[in-house]
């Protein structure tokens, strides 16, 4: 069985620390926010300049991002699944039945 080198253990520890950092940190820098969101830093910059993503500039230069704000923003514009749409359509049709031919004919006579 091969021994794991100290260098490999250190690399693994750094990787774990980097991946779990976002779980505990409330405020993220631009680099951290881009990695957290899985987008490039330049795309995050574009979103920030267009004022599409919530951000903070406490001193007017550096941008900071609240992790919870990013989570909320990432979950906007939800697309319903086919099953959800079908269920809503079925419920609507059940609650608002189409008039039958006999009903239409009766209404016209009145």
């Amino acid at each position: 069985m091969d021994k794991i080198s100290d260098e490999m253990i250190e690399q693994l520890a750094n990787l774990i620390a980097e991946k779990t950092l976002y779980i505990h940190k409330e405020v993220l820098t631009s680099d951290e926010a881009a990695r957290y969101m899985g987008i490039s830093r330049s795309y995050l910059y574009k979103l920030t300049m267009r004022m599409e993503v919530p951000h903070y500039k406490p001193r007017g230069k550096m941008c900071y991002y609240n992790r919870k704000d990013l989570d909320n923003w990432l979950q906007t514009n939800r697309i319903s699944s086919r099953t959800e749409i079908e269920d809503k359509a079925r419920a609507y049709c059940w609650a608002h039945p189409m008039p039958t031919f006999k009903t239409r004919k009766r209404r016209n006579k009145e």
Side-chain angles (χ1 to χ4, degrees), residues 36-105:
Y36 179 74
M37 296 170 67
I39 60 175
S40 69
R41 188 170 175 213
S42 64
Y43 186 59
L44 177 62
Y45 178 76
K46 285 179 186 177
L47 292 173
T48 303
M49 291 303 107
R50 292 181 193 155
M51 298 181 75
E52 292 182 25
V53 66
H55 60 282
Y56 301 87
K57 284 187 167 187
R59 294 195 176 156
K61 278 192 168 188
M62 291 282 295
C63 286
Y64 295 96
Y65 304 85
N66 181 290
R67 185 176 47 85
K68 290 178 184 175
D69 288 347
L70 294 179
D71 287 339
N72 291 334
W73 184 81
L74 287 169
Q75 294 180 25
T76 57
N77 295 330
R78 183 179 184 278
I79 308 299
S80 297
S81 71
R82 182 181 309 269
T83 305
E84 291 171 328
I85 293 170
E86 289 170 354
D87 290 345
K88 286 179 184 177
R90 197 173 295 112
Y92 180 85
C93 290
W94 186 257
H96 303 88
M98 294 285 292
T100 62
F101 180 72
K102 289 179 182 178
T103 308
R104 271 192 240 140
K105 196 173 184 182

Coordinates of all heavy atoms in Angstrom, one line a residue, residues 36-105:
Y36 N -18.2 30.8 -5.9 CA -19.4 30.2 -5.2 C -20.5 30.0 -6.2 O -21.2 29.1 -6.2 CB -19.8 31.2 -4.1 CG -21.0 30.8 -3.3 CD1 -21.0 29.7 -2.4 CD2 -22.2 31.4 -3.5 CE1 -22.1 29.3 -1.7 CE2 -23.3 31.1 -2.8 CZ -23.3 30.0 -1.9 OH -24.4 29.6 -1.2
M37 N -20.7 31.0 -7.1 CA -21.8 31.0 -8.1 C -21.4 30.1 -9.3 O -22.3 29.8 -10.1 CB -22.1 32.4 -8.5 CG -22.6 33.3 -7.4 SD -22.8 35.0 -7.9 CE -24.0 35.0 -9.1
G38 N -20.2 29.8 -9.5 CA -19.8 29.0 -10.6 C -19.7 29.7 -11.9 O -20.0 29.2 -13.0
I39 N -19.4 31.0 -11.8 CA -19.3 31.9 -13.0 C -17.9 32.5 -13.0 O -17.2 32.5 -12.0 CB -20.4 32.9 -13.1 CG1 -20.3 33.9 -11.8 CG2 -21.8 32.3 -13.2 CD1 -21.3 35.0 -11.9
S40 N -17.6 33.1 -14.2 CA -16.3 33.8 -14.2 C -16.3 35.1 -13.5 O -17.4 35.7 -13.3 CB -15.9 34.0 -15.7 OG -16.7 35.0 -16.3
R41 N -15.2 35.6 -13.1 CA -15.1 36.9 -12.4 C -15.6 38.0 -13.3 O -16.3 39.0 -12.9 CB -13.7 37.1 -11.9 CG -13.6 38.3 -11.0 CD -12.3 38.4 -10.4 NE -12.2 39.7 -9.6 CZ -11.1 40.4 -9.4 NH1 -10.0 39.9 -9.9 NH2 -11.1 41.5 -8.8
S42 N -15.3 37.9 -14.6 CA -15.7 39.0 -15.6 C -17.2 39.0 -15.7 O -17.8 40.1 -15.8 CB -15.0 38.8 -16.9 OG -15.4 37.6 -17.5
Y43 N -17.8 37.8 -15.7 CA -19.3 37.8 -15.8 C -19.9 38.4 -14.5 O -20.9 39.1 -14.6 CB -19.8 36.4 -16.1 CG -21.3 36.3 -16.3 CD1 -21.9 37.1 -17.4 CD2 -22.1 35.6 -15.5 CE1 -23.2 37.1 -17.6 CE2 -23.5 35.6 -15.8 CZ -24.0 36.3 -16.8 OH -25.4 36.3 -17.0
L44 N -19.4 38.1 -13.4 CA -19.8 38.7 -12.1 C -19.7 40.2 -12.2 O -20.6 40.9 -11.8 CB -19.1 38.1 -10.9 CG -19.5 38.7 -9.6 CD1 -20.9 38.4 -9.3 CD2 -18.6 38.1 -8.5
Y45 N -18.6 40.7 -12.7 CA -18.4 42.1 -12.9 C -19.5 42.7 -13.7 O -20.1 43.8 -13.4 CB -17.0 42.4 -13.5 CG -16.7 43.8 -13.7 CD1 -16.4 44.7 -12.6 CD2 -16.8 44.4 -15.0 CE1 -16.1 46.0 -12.8 CE2 -16.5 45.7 -15.2 CZ -16.2 46.5 -14.1 OH -16.0 47.9 -14.3
K46 N -19.8 42.1 -14.9 CA -20.9 42.6 -15.7 C -22.2 42.6 -15.0 O -23.0 43.6 -15.1 CB -21.0 41.7 -17.0 CG -19.9 41.9 -18.0 CD -20.1 41.0 -19.2 CE -19.0 41.1 -20.1 NZ -19.1 40.1 -21.2
L47 N -22.5 41.6 -14.3 CA -23.8 41.5 -13.5 C -23.8 42.6 -12.5 O -24.9 43.2 -12.2 CB -24.0 40.2 -12.8 CG -24.2 39.0 -13.7 CD1 -24.2 37.7 -12.9 CD2 -25.5 39.1 -14.5
T48 N -22.7 42.9 -11.8 CA -22.6 43.9 -10.8 C -22.8 45.3 -11.4 O -23.5 46.1 -10.9 CB -21.2 43.8 -10.1 OG1 -21.1 42.5 -9.5 CG2 -21.1 44.8 -9.0
M49 N -22.1 45.6 -12.5 CA -22.2 46.9 -13.2 C -23.6 47.1 -13.7 O -24.0 48.3 -13.8 CB -21.1 47.0 -14.3 CG -19.7 47.0 -13.8 SD -19.4 48.4 -12.6 CE -19.3 47.5 -11.1
R50 N -24.3 46.1 -14.1 CA -25.7 46.2 -14.6 C -26.6 46.3 -13.4 O -27.9 46.4 -13.7 CB -26.0 45.1 -15.5 CG -25.3 45.0 -16.8 CD -25.8 43.8 -17.6 NE -25.0 43.5 -18.7 CZ -24.8 42.3 -19.2 NH1 -25.5 41.3 -18.8 NH2 -24.1 42.1 -20.3
M51 N -26.1 46.2 -12.2 CA -26.9 46.2 -11.0 C -28.0 45.1 -11.0 O -29.1 45.2 -10.6 CB -27.5 47.5 -10.8 CG -26.5 48.6 -10.6 SD -27.2 50.3 -10.3 CE -27.7 50.1 -8.6
E52 N -27.6 43.9 -11.6 CA -28.5 42.8 -11.6 C -28.3 41.8 -10.4 O -29.2 41.1 -10.1 CB -28.2 42.0 -12.9 CG -28.7 42.7 -14.1 CD -28.5 42.0 -15.4 OE1 -28.5 40.7 -15.4 OE2 -28.4 42.6 -16.5
V53 N -27.1 41.9 -9.8 CA -26.8 41.0 -8.7 C -26.6 41.9 -7.4 O -26.0 43.0 -7.5 CB -25.6 40.1 -8.9 CG1 -24.3 40.9 -9.1 CG2 -25.4 39.0 -7.9
P54 N -27.2 41.5 -6.3 CA -27.1 42.4 -5.1 C -25.6 42.4 -4.6 O -25.0 41.4 -4.6 CB -28.0 41.8 -4.1 CG -28.3 40.4 -4.6 CD -28.1 40.4 -6.0
H55 N -25.1 43.6 -4.3 CA -23.8 43.7 -3.8 C -23.6 44.9 -2.9 O -24.6 45.7 -2.8 CB -22.8 43.8 -5.0 CG -23.0 45.0 -5.8 ND1 -24.1 45.0 -6.8 CD2 -22.4 46.2 -5.9 CE1 -24.0 46.2 -7.4 NE2 -23.1 46.9 -6.9
Y56 N -22.5 45.0 -2.2 CA -22.2 46.1 -1.3 C -20.9 46.7 -1.6 O -19.9 46.0 -2.0 CB -22.2 45.6 0.2 CG -23.5 44.9 0.6 CD1 -23.7 43.6 0.3 CD2 -24.5 45.6 1.2 CE1 -24.9 43.0 0.7 CE2 -25.7 45.1 1.6 CZ -25.9 43.7 1.3 OH -27.1 43.1 1.7
K57 N -20.8 48.1 -1.5 CA -19.6 48.8 -1.7 C -19.4 49.7 -0.5 O -19.7 50.9 -0.5 CB -19.6 49.6 -2.9 CG -19.5 48.9 -4.2 CD -19.4 49.8 -5.4 CE -18.9 49.1 -6.6 NZ -18.7 50.1 -7.7
P58 N -18.9 49.2 0.6 CA -18.8 50.0 1.9 C -17.9 51.2 1.7 O -18.2 52.2 2.4 CB -18.3 49.0 2.9 CG -17.7 47.9 2.2 CD -18.4 47.9 0.8
R59 N -16.9 51.1 1.0 CA -16.0 52.3 0.8 C -16.0 52.8 -0.6 O -15.1 53.6 -1.0 CB -14.6 51.9 1.2 CG -14.5 51.6 2.7 CD -13.1 51.6 3.2 NE -13.1 51.4 4.7 CZ -12.1 50.8 5.3 NH1 -11.0 50.5 4.7 NH2 -12.2 50.7 6.6
G60 N -16.9 52.4 -1.4 CA -17.0 52.9 -2.7 C -16.2 52.2 -3.8 O -16.4 52.5 -5.0
K61 N -15.3 51.4 -3.5 CA -14.5 50.7 -4.5 C -14.7 49.2 -4.5 O -15.3 48.7 -5.4 CB -13.0 51.0 -4.2 CG -12.5 52.3 -4.7 CD -11.0 52.3 -4.7 CE -10.5 53.5 -5.5 NZ -9.1 53.5 -5.7
M62 N -14.3 48.5 -3.5 CA -14.3 47.1 -3.4 C -15.8 46.6 -3.3 O -16.6 47.2 -2.5 CB -13.6 46.5 -2.2 CG -12.1 46.7 -2.3 SD -11.3 45.4 -3.4 CE -11.7 44.0 -2.5
C63 N -16.1 45.6 -4.1 CA -17.5 45.0 -4.0 C -17.5 43.8 -3.1 O -16.5 43.0 -3.2 CB -17.9 44.6 -5.4 SG -18.4 45.9 -6.4
Y64 N -18.5 43.7 -2.3 CA -18.7 42.5 -1.5 C -20.1 41.9 -1.7 O -21.0 42.7 -2.1 CB -18.5 42.9 0.0 CG -17.0 43.3 0.3 CD1 -16.7 44.6 0.3 CD2 -16.1 42.3 0.6 CE1 -15.4 45.0 0.6 CE2 -14.8 42.7 0.8 CZ -14.4 44.1 0.8 OH -13.2 44.5 1.1
Y65 N -20.2 40.7 -1.5 CA -21.5 40.0 -1.7 C -21.9 39.2 -0.5 O -21.1 38.5 0.1 CB -21.3 39.1 -2.9 CG -20.8 39.8 -4.2 CD1 -19.5 40.0 -4.4 CD2 -21.7 40.3 -5.1 CE1 -19.0 40.7 -5.5 CE2 -21.3 41.0 -6.2 CZ -19.9 41.2 -6.4 OH -19.5 41.8 -7.5
N66 N -23.2 39.3 -0.2 CA -23.7 38.5 0.9 C -24.1 37.2 0.4 O -24.8 37.1 -0.6 CB -24.9 39.2 1.6 CG -25.5 38.5 2.7 OD1 -26.1 37.4 2.5 ND2 -25.3 39.0 3.9
R67 N -23.6 36.1 1.0 CA -23.9 34.7 0.5 C -25.4 34.4 0.4 O -25.9 33.9 -0.6 CB -23.2 33.7 1.4 CG -23.3 32.3 0.9 CD -22.5 31.3 1.7 NE -22.7 31.5 3.1 CZ -23.7 30.9 3.8 NH1 -24.6 30.2 3.2 NH2 -23.8 31.1 5.1
K68 N -26.1 34.9 1.4 CA -27.6 34.6 1.4 C -28.3 35.4 0.3 O -29.2 34.9 -0.4 CB -28.2 34.9 2.8 CG -27.8 34.0 3.8 CD -28.4 34.3 5.2 CE -27.8 33.4 6.2 NZ -28.3 33.8 7.6
D69 N -27.8 36.6 0.0 CA -28.4 37.4 -1.1 C -28.1 36.7 -2.4 O -29.0 36.6 -3.3 CB -27.7 38.8 -1.2 CG -28.2 39.7 -0.1 OD1 -29.2 39.4 0.6 OD2 -27.6 40.8 0.1
L70 N -26.9 36.1 -2.5 CA -26.6 35.4 -3.8 C -27.4 34.2 -3.9 O -27.9 33.9 -5.0 CB -25.1 35.0 -3.8 CG -24.1 36.2 -3.9 CD1 -22.6 35.7 -3.8 CD2 -24.3 37.0 -5.1
D71 N -27.6 33.4 -2.8 CA -28.5 32.3 -2.9 C -29.9 32.6 -3.4 O -30.5 32.0 -4.2 CB -28.6 31.6 -1.5 CG -27.3 30.8 -1.2 OD1 -26.5 30.5 -2.1 OD2 -27.1 30.6 0.0
N72 N -30.4 33.7 -2.8 CA -31.8 34.1 -3.2 C -31.8 34.6 -4.7 O -32.7 34.3 -5.4 CB -32.3 35.3 -2.3 CG -32.5 34.8 -0.9 OD1 -32.8 33.7 -0.7 ND2 -32.4 35.7 0.1
W73 N -30.8 35.3 -5.1 CA -30.7 35.8 -6.5 C -30.6 34.6 -7.4 O -31.2 34.6 -8.5 CB -29.5 36.7 -6.6 CG -29.5 37.3 -8.0 CD1 -30.2 38.3 -8.5 CD2 -28.7 36.8 -9.1 NE1 -29.9 38.6 -9.8 CE2 -28.9 37.7 -10.2 CE3 -27.7 35.8 -9.2 CZ2 -28.3 37.5 -11.4 CZ3 -27.1 35.7 -10.5 CH2 -27.4 36.5 -11.5
L74 N -29.8 33.6 -7.1 CA -29.6 32.4 -7.9 C -30.9 31.6 -8.1 O -31.1 30.9 -9.1 CB -28.5 31.5 -7.4 CG -27.1 32.0 -7.5 CD1 -26.1 31.2 -6.7 CD2 -26.7 32.0 -9.0
Q75 N -31.8 31.7 -7.1 CA -33.0 31.0 -7.2 C -34.2 31.8 -7.7 O -35.4 31.3 -7.5 CB -33.3 30.4 -5.8 CG -32.3 29.4 -5.3 CD -32.6 28.9 -4.0 OE1 -33.7 28.8 -3.5 NE2 -31.5 28.4 -3.3
T76 N -34.0 32.9 -8.4 CA -35.1 33.6 -9.0 C -35.4 33.0 -10.3 O -34.6 32.2 -10.9 CB -34.7 35.1 -9.2 OG1 -33.5 35.2 -10.0 CG2 -34.4 35.8 -7.8
N77 N -36.5 33.4 -10.8 CA -37.0 32.9 -12.2 C -37.1 31.4 -12.2 O -36.6 30.8 -13.2 CB -36.1 33.5 -13.3 CG -36.2 34.9 -13.4 OD1 -37.3 35.5 -13.1 ND2 -35.2 35.6 -13.8
R78 N -37.7 30.8 -11.2 CA -37.8 29.3 -11.2 C -38.7 28.9 -12.4 O -39.8 29.5 -12.7 CB -38.5 28.9 -9.9 CG -38.6 27.4 -9.8 CD -39.2 27.0 -8.4 NE -39.2 25.6 -8.2 CZ -40.2 24.8 -8.7 NH1 -41.1 25.3 -9.5 NH2 -40.1 23.5 -8.5
I79 N -38.3 27.8 -13.0 CA -39.1 27.2 -14.1 C -39.8 26.0 -13.6 O -39.1 25.1 -13.0 CB -38.2 26.8 -15.3 CG1 -37.3 28.0 -15.7 CG2 -39.0 26.3 -16.4 CD1 -38.1 29.2 -16.2
S80 N -41.1 25.9 -13.7 CA -41.9 24.8 -13.2 C -41.6 23.6 -14.1 O -41.4 23.7 -15.3 CB -43.4 25.1 -13.2 OG -43.7 26.2 -12.4
S81 N -41.7 22.4 -13.4 CA -41.5 21.2 -14.1 C -42.7 20.8 -14.9 O -43.8 21.4 -14.7 CB -41.2 20.0 -13.2 OG -42.3 19.7 -12.4
R82 N -42.6 20.0 -15.9 CA -43.7 19.6 -16.7 C -44.9 19.0 -15.8 O -46.0 19.3 -16.0 CB -43.3 18.5 -17.7 CG -44.4 18.1 -18.7 CD -43.9 17.0 -19.6 NE -42.7 17.4 -20.3 CZ -42.6 18.0 -21.5 NH1 -43.7 18.3 -22.1 NH2 -41.5 18.3 -22.1
T83 N -44.5 18.2 -14.8 CA -45.5 17.6 -13.9 C -46.2 18.7 -13.2 O -47.4 18.6 -13.0 CB -44.8 16.6 -13.0 OG1 -44.1 15.7 -13.7 CG2 -45.8 16.0 -12.1
E84 N -45.5 19.7 -12.7 CA -46.1 20.8 -11.9 C -47.1 21.6 -12.8 O -48.2 21.9 -12.4 CB -45.1 21.8 -11.4 CG -44.2 21.2 -10.3 CD -43.1 22.1 -9.9 OE1 -42.5 22.8 -10.8 OE2 -42.7 22.1 -8.7
I85 N -46.7 21.8 -14.1 CA -47.6 22.5 -15.0 C -48.9 21.7 -15.3 O -50.0 22.2 -15.3 CB -46.8 22.9 -16.3 CG1 -45.7 23.9 -16.0 CG2 -47.8 23.4 -17.4 CD1 -44.8 24.1 -17.1
E86 N -48.7 20.4 -15.5 CA -49.8 19.5 -15.8 C -50.7 19.5 -14.6 O -52.0 19.5 -14.8 CB -49.3 18.1 -16.2 CG -48.7 18.1 -17.5 CD -48.0 16.7 -17.8 OE1 -47.9 15.9 -16.9 OE2 -47.5 16.6 -18.9
D87 N -50.2 19.4 -13.4 CA -51.0 19.4 -12.2 C -51.8 20.7 -12.0 O -53.0 20.6 -11.7 CB -50.2 19.2 -10.9 CG -49.6 17.7 -10.8 OD1 -50.1 16.9 -11.6 OD2 -48.7 17.5 -10.0
K88 N -51.2 21.8 -12.3 CA -51.9 23.1 -12.2 C -53.0 23.2 -13.3 O -54.1 23.6 -13.0 CB -50.9 24.3 -12.4 CG -50.1 24.5 -11.2 CD -49.1 25.7 -11.5 CE -48.2 25.9 -10.3 NZ -47.2 26.9 -10.6
A89 N -52.7 22.7 -14.5 CA -53.7 22.7 -15.6 C -54.9 21.8 -15.2 O -56.1 22.2 -15.4 CB -53.1 22.2 -16.9
R90 N -54.6 20.6 -14.7 CA -55.6 19.7 -14.3 C -56.5 20.3 -13.2 O -57.7 20.2 -13.2 CB -55.0 18.4 -13.8 CG -55.9 17.2 -13.7 CD -55.2 15.9 -13.4 NE -54.3 15.5 -14.4 CZ -53.0 15.5 -14.3 NH1 -52.4 15.8 -13.2 NH2 -52.2 15.1 -15.3
A91 N -55.9 20.9 -12.2 CA -56.6 21.6 -11.1 C -57.5 22.7 -11.6 O -58.7 22.9 -11.2 CB -55.7 22.1 -10.0
Y92 N -57.0 23.5 -12.5 CA -57.8 24.6 -13.1 C -59.0 24.0 -13.9 O -60.1 24.5 -13.8 CB -56.9 25.4 -14.0 CG -57.6 26.6 -14.6 CD1 -57.8 27.8 -13.9 CD2 -58.2 26.5 -15.9 CE1 -58.5 28.8 -14.5 CE2 -59.0 27.5 -16.4 CZ -59.1 28.7 -15.7 OH -59.8 29.7 -16.2
C93 N -58.7 23.0 -14.7 CA -59.8 22.5 -15.5 C -60.9 21.8 -14.6 O -62.1 21.9 -14.9 CB -59.3 21.4 -16.5 SG -58.3 22.2 -17.8
W94 N -60.5 21.2 -13.5 CA -61.4 20.6 -12.6 C -62.3 21.7 -11.9 O -63.5 21.6 -11.7 CB -60.7 19.8 -11.6 CG -61.6 19.0 -10.7 CD1 -61.9 19.3 -9.4 CD2 -62.3 17.9 -11.0 NE1 -62.7 18.4 -8.9 CE2 -63.0 17.5 -9.8 CE3 -62.4 17.1 -12.1 CZ2 -63.9 16.4 -9.8 CZ3 -63.2 16.0 -12.0 CH2 -64.0 15.6 -10.9
A95 N -61.6 22.8 -11.6 CA -62.3 23.9 -10.9 C -63.2 24.8 -11.9 O -64.1 25.4 -11.4 CB -61.3 24.8 -10.2
H96 N -62.8 24.8 -13.1 CA -63.5 25.6 -14.1 C -63.9 24.7 -15.3 O -63.3 24.8 -16.4 CB -62.6 26.8 -14.6 CG -62.1 27.6 -13.5 ND1 -61.0 27.4 -12.8 CD2 -62.7 28.8 -13.0 CE1 -60.8 28.3 -11.9 NE2 -61.8 29.2 -12.0
P97 N -64.9 23.9 -15.2 CA -65.3 23.0 -16.3 C -65.9 23.7 -17.4 O -66.5 24.8 -17.3 CB -66.3 22.0 -15.6 CG -66.8 22.8 -14.5 CD -65.7 23.7 -14.0
M98 N -65.6 23.2 -18.6 CA -66.2 23.8 -19.8 C -67.6 23.5 -19.9 O -68.0 22.4 -19.5 CB -65.5 23.2 -21.1 CG -64.0 23.6 -21.2 SD -63.8 25.3 -21.7 CE -64.4 25.2 -23.4
P99 N -68.5 24.4 -20.3 CA -69.9 24.1 -20.4 C -70.1 23.0 -21.5 O -69.5 23.0 -22.5 CB -70.5 25.4 -20.9 CG -69.4 26.3 -21.2 CD -68.1 25.8 -20.7
T100 N -71.0 22.1 -21.2 CA -71.4 21.1 -22.2 C -72.3 21.6 -23.3 O -72.8 22.8 -23.2 CB -72.1 19.9 -21.5 OG1 -73.3 20.4 -20.9 CG2 -71.2 19.3 -20.4
F101 N -72.5 20.9 -24.3 CA -73.4 21.3 -25.4 C -74.8 21.6 -24.9 O -75.4 22.6 -25.3 CB -73.4 20.2 -26.5 CG -74.3 20.6 -27.6 CD1 -73.9 21.6 -28.5 CD2 -75.5 20.0 -27.8 CE1 -74.7 22.0 -29.6 CE2 -76.3 20.4 -28.9 CZ -75.9 21.3 -29.7
K102 N -75.3 20.8 -24.0 CA -76.6 20.9 -23.5 C -76.7 22.3 -22.7 O -77.7 23.0 -22.8 CB -77.0 19.8 -22.6 CG -77.3 18.5 -23.3 CD -77.6 17.4 -22.4 CE -77.8 16.1 -23.1 NZ -78.2 15.0 -22.2
T103 N -75.7 22.6 -21.9 CA -75.7 23.8 -21.1 C -75.7 25.0 -22.0 O -76.4 26.0 -21.8 CB -74.4 23.8 -20.2 OG1 -74.4 22.6 -19.5 CG2 -74.5 25.0 -19.3
R104 N -74.9 25.0 -23.1 CA -74.8 26.1 -24.0 C -76.2 26.3 -24.7 O -76.6 27.4 -24.9 CB -73.7 25.8 -25.1 CG -72.4 26.3 -24.7 CD -71.5 26.3 -25.8 NE -70.3 25.5 -25.5 CZ -69.7 24.6 -26.3 NH1 -70.1 24.5 -27.5 NH2 -68.8 23.9 -25.8
K105 N -76.8 25.2 -25.1 CA -78.1 25.2 -25.8 C -79.1 25.8 -24.9 O -79.9 26.7 -25.3 CB -78.5 23.8 -26.3 CG -79.5 23.8 -27.3 CD -79.7 22.4 -27.8 CE -80.7 22.3 -28.9 NZ -80.9 20.9 -29.3

